[in-house]
Amino acid sequence: MRLSSPAASFMAAALLAPALFVPHAHAAPPAATPAAPAAAPAAPANPNPVVATVNGEDIHLDDVRQAAASMPAQLRQLPPNMIFPMLLNQLIDQKAIQAAALRSGMQNQPDVQAQMHAAATNALQNAYLSQQVTPTLTDAAIQDYYNQNYANKKPETEIHARHILVATEAEATSIIKQLKAGADFGALAAKLSTDKASAKQNGGDLGWFKKGDMLPAFSDAAFAMKPHTFSQTPVHSQYGWHVIEVLDTRTAAVPKLDAVRDEIRQKLIQQGVRQAVDKAVAAVTVVRYDPSGKPVPATPAPAAPAKK
């Protein structure tokens, strides 16, 4: 029963994407013979050339770079000379479909107009959040977060445990009796546990976890047990009744910065988005209504905790 962390409400590809398709410099022309007049300086290469046209509408290199930014990480590992034609063909296809849709008049359909408006609004919101958050994702910010949340913390205890989850206390009590009589924990988990995800993974195995990774009721019980023991009384949580077996314990070393850099970056993105959203909401007037259309009284903001 792991605690779920809040998902980031913002996925701006520009925050994650590497720079691709940087044009190579053209080879320098051969040197002129002494008798020839000095050549004029070559014009700088266009950093964003047109790479295709569809019905006269240009597709630029930057369009391909932008498409590359949203590619899955594993595809970004392909050589650029493979990625470029693949993405260019995709952009050409998109332009052709767009042209066909416009010729059909689909853009005038009310449902399509609503979808186009929603897409434009979403793009504007993401662009604003990206503008607000991206400048904060510096190496110094990542280092500071690491220093505050990792570097100075003591190593934590982890346990390796498995569990059987059932709906009632009576069922859990019955399972404990069977275990005391010599029944196999894994077999009972596979047969009886309602937590099908863990039941299918080696008989209720939850792997290694820290105390804060689980619900308090579950963690308090599990971390009070010794290795190679199972709970003698059922453990209740919001999901039901658990029978827990602790397999082993260990001390987890404090991770190095490089091992948690991506994790920290995602947390900083989440924090930055939350701050940007809170600031935006504070700058507008919000009136809420219930489903019948009746105004809902404003709820006062919680008071800040007193400083000690």
Side-chain angles (χ1 to χ4, degrees):
M1 304 292 89
R2 294 186 186 274
L3 291 172
S4 59
S5 59
S9 59
F10 157 62
M11 295 295 291
L15 299 178
L16 303 174
L20 295 178
F21 313 120
V22 177
H24 296 289
H26 295 291
T33 62
N46 183 357
N48 186 31
V50 173
V51 291
T53 63
V54 178
N55 274 1
E57 188 173 348
D58 294 341
I59 298 175
H60 290 265
L61 183 60
D62 276 353
D63 298 321
V64 183
R65 291 194 184 104
Q66 186 176 359
S70 61
M71 290 177 65
Q74 61 270 26
L75 288 182
R76 292 186 201 153
Q77 306 306 314
L78 294 173
N81 62 347
M82 292 181 62
I83 297 177
F84 177 82
M86 176 178 67
L87 292 180
L88 182 57
N89 286 338
Q90 188 177 82
L91 291 171
I92 291 171
D93 291 346
Q94 291 171 358
K95 290 287 187 185
I97 292 170
Q98 181 182 359
L102 290 172
R103 287 196 303 271
S104 73
M106 187 171 288
Q107 70 276 17
N108 299 318
Q109 297 177 9
D111 58 331
V112 176
Q113 289 181 343
Q115 294 176 41
M116 292 169 65
H117 176 73
T121 300
N122 186 61
L124 180 61
Q125 293 169 359
N126 281 345
Y128 176 79
L129 290 173
S130 178
Q131 184 187 67
Q132 296 297 306
V133 175
T134 302
T136 70
L137 302 177
T138 63
D139 289 340
I142 292 173
Q143 181 70 59
D144 184 58
Y145 188 98
Y146 176 81
N147 292 341
Q148 293 183 33
N149 296 278
Y150 292 90
N152 297 321
K153 285 195 171 183
K154 295 180 179 178
E156 288 189 70
T157 299
E158 292 182 328
I159 65 173
H160 182 196
R162 53 185 179 175
H163 80 141
I164 301 171
L165 176 65
V166 290
T168 67
E169 184 178 11
E171 291 176 281
T173 300
S174 173
I175 290 170
I176 292 172
K177 289 180 180 178
Q178 294 178 62
L179 292 171
K180 289 180 177 179
D184 181 75
F185 192 102
L188 289 178
K191 179 181 179 182
L192 302 174
S193 182
T194 59
D195 182 6
K196 297 304 180 184
S198 68
K200 293 178 180 178
Q201 296 173 0
N202 302 321
D205 197 341
L206 296 169
W208 291 94
F209 56 88
K210 298 180 178 69
K211 192 169 185 178
D213 294 338
M214 298 292 182
L215 295 169
F218 188 97
S219 283
D220 290 345
F223 277 81
M225 295 167 57
K226 294 181 179 180
H228 314 299
T229 63
F230 57 84
S231 47
Q232 300 299 295
T233 57
V235 177
H236 187 244
S237 79
Q238 66 191 61
Y239 294 101
W241 294 87
H242 308 262
V243 178
I244 305 169
E245 182 182 28
V246 174
L247 303 173
D248 205 352
T249 64
R250 69 184 183 188
T251 300
V254 176
K256 301 293 185 182
L257 174 59
D258 286 344
V260 291
R261 184 181 297 276
D262 289 343
E263 178 183 337
I264 291 174
R265 199 164 186 272
Q266 289 305 311
K267 289 179 179 178
L268 290 176
I269 290 173
Q270 292 179 16
Q271 289 181 6
V273 168
R274 185 67 263 165
Q275 291 170 1
V277 171
D278 290 344
K279 183 178 179 181
V281 172
V284 297
T285 301
V286 178
V287 180
R288 301 180 187 275
Y289 301 85
D290 66 18
S292 68
K294 181 180 178 181
V296 177
T299 303
K307 295 183 178 179
K308 295 183 179 179

